[in-house]
Amino acid sequence: MTIEAPQSFVVREECQKAASQNGFRRVLGEGAGWATFGSTTAKGHIYLAATGPAGPWYLALDHHGVIEELGVPAADVAGPGRARFAFDTLGALYGVLHRVYELAVSLPDAPLIEFEHRVANLPQTTEAERLVVQRIGQDIFRERLMDYWRRRCPLTGISDAALLRASHIIPWAECETDAERLDVHNGLLLSALWDAAFDRALVTFDDEGRPEFSSGLSEQARAELRWSAPIPLTDEHRRRLARHRERARRADLVPE
């Protein structure tokens, strides 16, 4: 089917509404039937098109990290960006656009850029001042992990914000750069009990996202550390988790 070019009034309005309601509020123009949108908070652009008011609807992306982690098969359609996707309904497009925004504010260095902007003019001479800067970084890291993990613990499904913790895989103090500290691939969004166990290397995770428990954990503790699904991991998570497993093994917590 042929993309409508130029866009009719209905298609143009629906594209603008879909983009705006999912965080891409900057209207950047239209070319060959593709309307381009940007965001002040998310990296990259999105491009929207349709064959007509009844659809199908098309999305194009230029953000490599978002494309890689979106988990949606690409469509064989010509257009802008690095990849294009097709949707039979506006509802399906909306659902994917929300995830695009969550990933775009998290990957790859959006948290670092936000952090550097917010602390650029803050003093860091005294310990108290450095702690203020650290707290800003940790707050940004938590919020971007909330976006990345869709505001729920991927292990348990718990979505109560008060019970969720931003768990660094490589601890904050051991990271060599702010980029590493604020990289969402260096974090898991875990419920409080799992976070406590993970932070102390009483539990770690294999490359499939399944828990590996410390031999020193009591049966009662293991029984309380319930989980419903393995954590979906990228290779970047796995690379860092290998270090976490070594930390646990060095402490003789996880058997070889």
Side-chain angles (χ1 to χ4, degrees), residues 202-215:
L202 294 169
V203 66
T204 188
F205 299 97
D206 67 17
D207 281 345
E208 301 305 316
R210 296 180 298 247
E212 293 182 349
F213 294 103
S214 162
S215 58

Side-chain angles (χ1 to χ4, degrees), residues 59-74:
L59 164 68
L61 300 173
D62 59 10
H63 191 307
H64 176 73
V66 174
I67 294 167
E68 192 173 66
E69 297 198 33
L70 189 59
V72 177

Side-chain angles (χ1 to χ4, degrees), residues 135-184:
R135 173 52 60 188
I136 291 172
Q138 290 172 338
D139 287 346
I140 290 172
F141 183 69
R142 172 183 167 81
E143 189 55 36
R144 295 301 159 246
L145 277 188
M146 292 284 280
D147 289 321
Y148 183 85
W149 293 107
R150 314 194 82 166
R151 290 181 140 69
R152 66 179 59 245
C153 169
L155 195 64
T156 64
I158 289 174
S159 59
D160 304 70
L163 298 179
L164 298 176
R165 302 288 184 270
S167 303
H168 272 88
I169 300 173
I170 300 172
W172 179 279
E174 296 179 17
C175 293
E176 296 182 357
T177 65
D178 288 333
E180 180 71 7
R181 293 183 182 101
L182 294 162
D183 191 322
V184 293

Side-chain angles (χ1 to χ4, degrees), residues 197 200-204 211-218 222 225 248 251-255:
R200 291 161 178 79
L202 294 169
V203 66
T204 188
E212 293 182 349
F213 294 103
S214 162
S215 58
L217 276 176
S218 67
R222 291 189 184 216
L225 287 166
D252 195 30
L253 296 176
V254 178

Side-chain angles (χ1 to χ4, degrees), residues 12 48 67 93 95 97 102 124 147 153 170 204 224 233-234:
R12 183 170 64 252
L48 298 177
I67 294 167
L93 173 64
L97 277 177
E102 290 176 327
Q124 300 186 45
D147 289 321
C153 169
I170 300 172
T204 188
E224 292 301 321
L233 301 172
T234 67

